Amino acid sequence: MARIALIETKPSRQKHLEFDFVTDRFALCSDPSKKKVLKGDVDLEIDVDDFDWVILVGSEPTKYFTKITSVTEYSGKVVDKKFIPLINPAMLSFKPEMKQKWKESIESAEQYVTGQLKQKELSEDKIYGITDSRDLYVFLDKAIDSDYDFIALDCETTALYPRDGYMLGFSLSYEPEHGAYVSADCIDEKAEHLMQLLFDKKRVVFHNAKFDLGFFEFHFGFKFPRFEDTMLLHYVNNEQPGTHGLKQLSLKYTDYGDYEKPMYDWIEQYRKQHGILKDSFQWEMIPFDIMKKYAAMDAVCTFILFQKFEEYTKDKKFYKVYTDILLPACRFLTDVQDNGVPFDKERLWKSTELMQTDIEQAIEKLYEFKEVKEFEEKEQKEFNPNSTIQLRSLLFDYLGLEPTSIKTSTGATSTNQEALNILSESHDVPKLILDIRQKVKIKNTYLDKIIPALNRDGRLSSSGKLNMQQIPRDNPIVKGCIKAKPGNKIVAMDLTTAEVYVAAVLANDKNLQDVFRQGGNFHSTIAKLVFNLPCEVDDVAEYYSVERQQAKAVTFGIMYGAGAYKISEQVTKDSGKYFSKSEAEEVIRDYFTKFYGLKKWLDDRKAFISQYAYDFSYFGRKRRLPNVKSDNKGIVAHEIRSGINSLVQSAASDINLLGAIDCHNELKNVDYKANIFALVHDSILAEVEEAGVDRYKELLRDCVQRDRGLSIPGCPIGCDFEVGDDYSMGKFEEKYL
């Protein structure tokens, strides 16, 4: 009979840890009173060789015995042929979304222990390396003539972006449990011809196609008429972030476990022997004979995953999301990344220098306040505005400001942006702190990092090197450094009140749809309707600005799931006039009296989400919402708000994305130069030849406003255009030039 050890962090009597088989139970630390067990607290004495299996419960035992830091990723799987990590079941009370993971992990662990499940390892005759071109020709001929209509393809590279590095080799699998890793040095003219024949004949399956397509196309010019992506297929079935990596999916869906671990163990040993820091290690340092097995296994597992994912996805209604949205989006984003963001190097350099000067001047201004000097004299340390503890002390002990009601997740008084904005109404120091933080973030996060990441032509890949979604909406400095070449213009298109438009269609609210049909200022029209204002819509902003602000806050509050209290705060802040919670409740009632269709739709979706813990967007994206089954009412409410918001946000985003994809494809056939280089928030950004700007705007508007079944009859979704020499649209200050 197998002997099994179960090791926890501290002694416990969790009923979750009772199995059908007998275990010897241990703890890393015998003291149950320890809140956090450190390495020095471990007093466990055990010889793991005395046991056939060792079950590790939670992150501490897993890391102690295996050096693995992500227990969730390995939960229920075998590590080093003996250890089986499990997530800590204690988390299930506050993370109900992990219940399914726990159930799967227990089933898997029991199957390994009882012998029903075993890890596999391919033999050398099924997985091998190719370093000779003639061997590659034979291998490719067999792949071309194989019985399957698809192959799995992966590449190993020296960098994350095609222009920054080169391909070391590629792995290919054309039948189950069979694959090879091929040195890139083998790819001669004949091999290129055979590879293109293969890519033309078969569907090519990647895992994260956007990465591999970039290298194969940039360095070899290969074409891929039909490609698939197991990462996107998995996303269709489970959109939860952080679950789509090839290693994670191979652990979960194949019998090969963590096949890469021996290679990473080799890398760690190599680094120690040669004194190489982790960040200095280069992928090309791995010998071919070490790399070949693990690289080839990437293709083998991709092949297996595609067989499984395609089979159980095809019959589901959201398979169309994969074929109609995700795959076209992958092709589009690969091209967009290749276009790159057009940055002006000179502006970047000057902006960086002047931003540093601005930061230093703001800090000098901060020291004009005697309380800052008093703090440093008494505390005997230099004041650090990024230190939460020091900032709390300065604001509340030395300046005597009244703390806000905003708390951190641990219940401490918050000094986040929202709290500092409120405190700024009482004193200039919080306002200065906000100013310093914003400028430091812009300089460190954007300006300093962009310059060394630019391609030789001054452009920047818009994926990975810079998250365009994080560019501050209202700050012209970074946006002004995105500049068109002479003779071109930057054209930005934003959807107009897109989420409310989508909600009006989804709710089939005729009154709300009529607001869009009437045109004019949207929020003024809403205010006039809700409050029965005795003036023309065009005069609402002038004579009834507070009511307009209230209507605007309620509209967006409803879309984002805000309640009366939050809306009262927002209106008070924006209008400068106190707006109570009871007043907000009254306005919300009046609002829903006018737009009762919207109210019914919201109630219906909330009820559906509460019952089923998921919902589908208009275009078929599934959003799983497991936390609606939590015992915590606050968590449940947040999950429902998140679900409602995703219904409108997802649909609006897909309208924008599909419009951009269609436009990108049609731009290949126009007689002027125009390149879409990024999608930011609700914007589509392009660099367009000046002579073609009007025609580009007309084309993009037509593509975005195409009726995809989510339109108000006679009133397509609105498109606002801005055209300028740079992305700031003329707001880039002269001092930065």
Side-chain angles (χ1 to χ4, degrees), residues 316-332:
K316 297 186 178 180
K317 66 179 182 179
F318 47 75
Y319 185 65
K320 282 179 66 66
V321 175
Y322 173 70
T323 57
D324 295 357
I325 298 179
L326 298 183
L327 282 182
C330 177
R331 175 74 273 170
F332 165 70

Side-chain angles (χ1 to χ4, degrees), residues 496-544:
T496 309
T497 330
E499 285 151 12
V500 187
Y501 181 96
V502 166
V505 180
L506 293 174
N508 196 26
D509 191 309
K510 304 302 183 185
N511 290 339
L512 193 54
Q513 291 181 16
D514 283 342
V515 173
F516 284 97
R517 288 194 185 94
Q518 291 168 24
N521 186 283
F522 179 84
H523 298 296
S524 293
T525 304
I526 294 286
K528 178 175 171 60
L529 277 172
V530 172
F531 299 110
N532 295 312
L533 300 179
C535 68
E536 297 299 321
V537 170
D538 292 343
D539 297 327
V540 169
E542 181 178 356
Y543 297 113
Y544 296 97

Side-chain angles (χ1 to χ4, degrees), residues 402-416:
E402 188 71 27
T404 69
S405 59
I406 302 169
K407 303 294 182 183
T408 66
S409 58
T410 61
T413 300
S414 178
T415 56
N416 64 10

Side-chain angles (χ1 to χ4, degrees), residues 138-383:
V138 174
F139 180 73
L140 291 171
D141 282 334
K142 289 180 179 179
I144 291 170
D145 294 334
S146 68
D147 294 333
Y148 291 86
D149 77 328
F150 66 90
I151 62 164
L153 187 66
D154 185 70
C155 64
E156 302 296 339
T157 67
T158 62
L160 294 175
Y161 305 99
R163 284 180 170 81
D164 296 344
Y166 56 91
M167 192 183 295
L168 293 166
F170 69 89
S171 53
L172 192 153
S173 175
Y174 60 80
E175 61 183 352
E177 301 186 329
H178 182 281
Y181 177 59
V182 182
S183 170
D185 294 338
C186 295
I187 306 176
D188 57 15
E189 188 173 341
K190 182 176 179 180
E192 284 188 8
H193 174 70
L194 289 172
M195 289 172 73
Q196 188 60 64
L197 285 178
L198 177 64
F199 302 155
D200 288 340
K201 182 177 180 181
K202 308 281 187 179
R203 288 184 293 164
V204 181
V205 182
F206 300 102
H207 188 85
N208 189 8
K210 189 159 71 72
F211 176 89
D212 296 292
L213 284 172
F215 274 89
F216 278 107
E217 292 177 346
F218 181 79
H219 288 285
F220 296 98
F222 288 128
K223 305 295 181 185
F224 296 91
R226 297 181 299 156
F227 71 89
E228 309 276 359
D229 191 332
T230 48
M231 185 176 76
L232 296 179
L233 268 172
H234 183 260
Y235 173 83
V236 167
N237 285 278
N238 183 356
E239 80 289 352
Q240 299 300 320
T243 63
H244 312 300
L246 179 57
K247 182 173 77 173
Q248 294 167 292
L249 298 181
S250 297
L251 277 167
K252 184 173 181 178
Y253 293 103
T254 79
D255 298 328
Y256 295 108
D258 186 3
Y259 57 83
E260 286 186 333
K261 191 172 186 298
M263 183 181 71
Y264 283 100
D265 290 341
W266 180 91
I267 291 173
E268 185 176 355
Q269 187 63 33
Y270 181 87
R271 285 179 39 240
K272 286 180 180 178
Q273 288 178 350
H274 296 83
I276 299 172
L277 296 175
K278 187 175 182 179
D279 291 342
S280 300
F281 182 82
Q282 302 294 319
W283 212 240
E284 55 263 44
M285 295 177 182
I286 305 174
F288 182 86
D289 286 341
I290 298 294
M291 173 79 83
K292 65 180 182 182
K293 178 178 180 179
Y294 309 107
M297 282 300 300
D298 285 345
V300 170
C301 287
T302 299
F303 192 99
I304 295 169
L305 292 174
F306 182 69
Q307 285 182 301
K308 292 188 176 184
F309 292 171
E310 187 179 44
E311 183 63 30
Y312 68 64
T313 302
K314 243 176 184 174
D315 295 334
K316 297 186 178 180
K317 66 179 182 179
F318 47 75
Y319 185 65
K320 282 179 66 66
V321 175
Y322 173 70
T323 57
D324 295 357
I325 298 179
L326 298 183
L327 282 182
C330 177
R331 175 74 273 170
F332 165 70
L333 292 173
T334 303
D335 293 346
V336 165
Q337 178 175 296
D338 191 52
N339 288 339
V341 182
F343 276 99
D344 185 292
K345 283 187 179 180
E346 186 177 354
R347 283 194 175 189
L348 279 168
W349 280 114
K350 289 184 178 179
S351 297
T352 302
E353 294 168 1
L354 288 165
M355 183 61 74
Q356 182 60 42
T357 301
D358 280 0
I359 293 169
E360 291 168 0
Q361 289 175 351
I363 292 174
E364 286 177 11
K365 195 170 182 180
L366 183 65
Y367 276 92
E368 293 177 5
F369 292 89
K370 59 181 177 49
E371 291 87 353
V372 178
K373 295 177 181 177
E374 289 173 4
F375 171 90
E376 293 191 339
E377 290 172 2
K378 189 169 182 179
E379 303 293 331
Q380 294 186 336
K381 64 176 71 171
E382 184 177 344
F383 173 67

